[in-house]
Amino acid sequence: MKSRYNINDWLPVTKKDCDARGWNEPDVVLFSGDAYVDHPSFGTAVIGRIIESRGFRVAIVPQPNWRDDLRDFKKMGRPRLFFAVTSGCMDSMVNHYTANKRLRSDDAYSPGGRAGFRPDYALSVYCNILKDLYPGVPVVAGGVEASLRRLTHYDYWSDSLRPSELCSSRADIIIYGMGEKPLIGLLDRASSGENVESVNDLCQSCFMAESLDAVDKVGGWSDVMLFSHEECLSSKEKFAENFRAIEKACSGREAVRLIQRCGDRFVVVNPPFINITTEEIYSFYDLPFTR
């Protein structure tokens, strides 16, 4: 029986797939800790299809091997715009360990449910590899692991406070939450020639600033200065106060920008977009997924 699908119905996952499309280079290479399943319940597929729908060439590298000669990180080459990185639909540590910190024997987002296809703290591992291999190429991080770890956070697995993923991953920008609208905004600006590393006024994104003078006063946002990462390390009360301020900013009606010092730099979290409309949601999930 002849299949009703053509191989080009899926987004390319190998260099051969890109060559078959006549691509010299992709615009965006998307790395994911999950297997590629072309269905709108998988964030990687949604992001990939949105990039494609905007007229860009996107290739996906699912579950790259980080333990060999890193050929998976090199096979697509250097993208024209940026690398995009997600650890997958789950925080990689939740994916790996039970609440009793015992290693899980399976992985629901890997072929056959087999475990062992992604590292601990996958987002940071992937981003650091790309930064080392391709200095000068912007790295954009997203997904649940990046979103939940965008500021100083308690890490259950190490029983310690860890800094923003921007510090540990060296990503240039984090898109947090539901990333469709900020991603489209970033793509439009990158395609117009703007350097992704200099984008600091995009809603629902985070970036590192060398100084407060480098933070543009845009959007009419009010700033909330959080206690620094170092202050949180020395005081549980200050960490708790940060948590209260972050929750208030996320659930309030006022657009608030959060700023936290980490070492000699500053983590800046721009306020989220206004909720997307029903029509926008339909347009995202009506993209040509093979399902």
Side-chain angles (χ1 to χ4, degrees):
M1 182 177 177
K2 185 177 179 180
S3 171
R4 60 193 179 96
Y5 292 116
N6 182 287
I7 189 64
N8 287 342
D9 291 340
W10 282 268
L11 297 174
V13 295
T14 67
K15 186 65 167 64
K16 185 180 293 185
D17 293 340
C18 293
D19 293 341
R21 289 166 168 79
W23 295 359
N24 292 324
E25 62 176 1
D27 296 312
V28 179
V29 179
L30 173 55
F31 286 83
S32 172
D34 292 341
Y36 169 40
V37 179
D38 196 41
H39 190 282
S41 62
F42 291 79
T44 299
V46 173
I47 294 304
R49 288 297 182 183
I50 287 174
I51 295 172
E52 178 190 51
S53 73
R54 307 295 290 186
F56 297 99
R57 297 167 295 184
V58 56
I60 295 177
V61 181
Q63 299 189 318
N65 190 339
W66 74 101
R67 291 174 290 197
D68 61 3
D69 60 1
L70 306 181
R71 66 188 66 184
D72 284 347
F73 291 88
K74 303 172 186 175
K75 66 182 181 181
M76 296 298 183
R78 185 183 296 264
R80 186 175 68 88
L81 297 178
F82 56 82
F83 288 111
V85 182
T86 174
S87 62
C89 291
M90 294 173 67
D91 182 293
S92 59
M93 301 304 286
V94 176
N95 182 281
H96 283 174
Y97 301 97
T98 69
N100 288 327
K101 300 184 180 180
R102 293 184 177 179
L103 191 65
R104 297 185 188 274
S105 59
D106 59 359
D107 182 340
Y109 297 99
S110 293
R114 292 175 295 170
F117 286 96
R118 81 188 83 205
D120 287 355
Y121 303 108
L123 185 82
S124 183
V125 172
Y126 293 162
C127 288
N128 275 288
I129 289 173
L130 291 170
K131 278 299 191 181
D132 289 338
L133 290 175
Y134 299 97
V137 178
V139 174
V140 179
V144 64
E145 191 161 335
S147 298
L148 294 178
R149 298 171 180 265
R150 62 187 185 270
L151 291 159
T152 296
H153 55 279
Y154 174 69
D155 182 70
Y156 175 75
W157 320 104
S158 63
D159 190 25
S160 65
L161 292 184
R162 290 170 63 96
S164 167
E165 273 294 330
L166 286 168
C167 301
S168 53
S169 72
R170 296 156 58 201
D172 296 289
I173 188 170
I174 284 177
I175 289 177
Y176 66 91
M178 300 299 288
E180 294 91 345
K181 289 188 76 167
L183 174 66
I184 290 172
L186 187 65
L187 286 168
D188 290 344
R189 294 174 65 166
S191 64
S192 67
E194 189 169 350
N195 190 336
V196 169
E197 296 166 312
S198 67
V199 174
N200 61 10
D201 58 352
L202 179 68
C203 284
Q204 213 159 310
S205 70
C206 322
F207 64 96
M208 294 291 289
E210 298 297 328
S211 68
L212 292 180
D213 293 336
V215 181
D216 287 345
K217 287 290 184 183
V218 294
W221 305 323
S222 59
D223 291 340
V224 173
M225 289 295 300
L226 302 173
F227 290 109
S228 71
H229 175 66
E230 289 73 22
E231 288 176 306
C232 290
L233 291 177
S234 62
S235 170
K236 293 180 181 180
E237 289 76 14
K238 290 180 178 179
F239 176 66
E241 180 59 27
N242 272 8
F243 184 86
R244 187 198 66 81
I246 294 166
E247 288 300 304
K248 182 179 179 181
C250 291
S251 58
R253 292 182 177 274
E254 181 187 2
V256 173
R257 182 168 58 179
L258 302 171
I259 302 175
Q260 182 186 36
R261 190 182 188 104
C262 186
D264 57 357
R265 297 195 295 169
F266 296 86
V267 178
V268 182
V269 181
N270 290 335
F273 272 102
I274 297 172
N275 291 339
I276 60 178
T277 65
T278 302
E279 290 72 23
E280 286 174 321
I281 294 176
Y282 286 161
S283 71
F284 299 147
Y285 289 88
D286 284 341
L287 293 172
F289 300 96
T290 58
R291 296 176 182 268

